[in-house]
Amino acid sequence: MKTLLIGATGTLGTAVHKELSARGHDVIAVGRSAGDLRCDISDPAQTAELYRRVGRVDAVVSAAGDVPYKPLPEMTPDDYRAAFTGKVLAQIELVRQRLAHIAERGSFTLVTGILAREPIPTGSAASMANGALEAFVRAAAIEIAPRRINAVSPNVFTESLADYGSYFPGMGSVGLDQVTQAYVRSVEGGQTGQVYAV
């Protein structure tokens, strides 16, 4: 299976890359500054050029998306626009631009996060973005069949607790190995329109 992995060099992307490769996928790693190919997916023109270069694929997998974290009184309209552009529109463009160039029964896997369902202080932009993406996945699924689309919505990673655990008090954590299995389920399984909360 030829799989395009966006955000392949981050913490999550690295783990997903390792798991999919171990399962026999031909993974094309894409990152902003490292990987097989470079692309800033917040720029639709760069996404179009990326797709032109890679040709037809069986799966598009995203482990990327940027949002600002600030207390609500400090958030500006530009901050919310940046969150929507960096995480929501960027991943929607991965789907929209690829529909005509993915295998007939190919799949898209997007990434959201726990803040869609469990908000935290400073996380309003992330909650907005994650919730919007999850709604998009459910809506897109009924239009793109037999192609499939799902989202993986993880908690904070156990491996990242030292850096981010204080932002998620009492919310537990999830190991990257569990998150990568949700990606495997999305890419290799048969479901569509699902949000895999892990």
Side-chain angles (χ1 to χ4, degrees):
M1 185 178 287
K2 186 177 180 182
T3 301
L4 186 67
L5 175 58
I6 314 294
T9 59
T11 299
L12 175 57
T14 299
V16 172
H17 189 299
K18 181 179 179 182
E19 180 64 21
L20 292 179
S21 295
R23 297 180 66 84
H25 291 252
D26 176 13
V27 179
I28 303 167
V30 180
R32 279 186 177 165
S33 57
D36 300 320
L37 296 170
R38 311 286 191 276
C39 180
D40 178 354
I41 63 168
S42 67
D43 178 355
Q46 288 192 40
T47 298
E49 175 61 16
L50 171 68
Y51 282 159
R52 186 193 66 77
R53 293 180 65 187
V54 301
R56 194 171 182 84
V57 298
D58 299 294
V60 174
V61 175
S62 178
D66 292 329
V67 294
Y69 286 83
K70 292 182 184 178
L72 186 60
E74 297 176 17
M75 291 291 288
T76 67
D78 285 343
D79 288 325
Y80 286 109
R81 286 189 196 98
F84 200 79
T85 299
K87 189 158 192 182
V88 182
L89 291 180
Q91 292 190 85
I92 288 174
E93 280 296 289
L94 289 176
V95 178
R96 191 188 68 78
Q97 290 194 32
R98 199 64 196 175
L99 285 175
H101 305 285
I102 197 164
E104 181 183 2
R105 295 188 176 275
S107 69
F108 298 92
T109 304
L110 308 185
V111 63
T112 67
I114 192 173
L115 299 188
R117 57 193 183 277
E118 297 285 349
I120 61 169
T122 75
S124 64
S127 292
M128 173 200 73
N130 291 339
L133 275 169
E134 292 181 8
F136 170 77
V137 163
R138 295 184 184 100
I142 66 173
E143 294 194 52
I144 68 171
R147 295 157 296 190
R148 299 183 302 104
I149 182 169
N150 298 298
V152 176
S153 180
N155 197 348
V156 63
F157 308 137
T158 303
E159 293 83 351
S160 299
L161 280 176
D163 295 321
Y164 302 109
S166 62
Y167 295 98
F168 299 85
M171 293 170 65
S173 64
V174 62
L176 282 167
D177 58 335
Q178 293 175 263
V179 182
T180 60
Q181 291 310 304
Y183 274 88
V184 170
R185 183 179 180 187
S186 177
V187 174
E188 298 182 6
Q191 292 184 314
T192 190
Q194 303 298 303
V195 176
Y196 299 121
V198 289

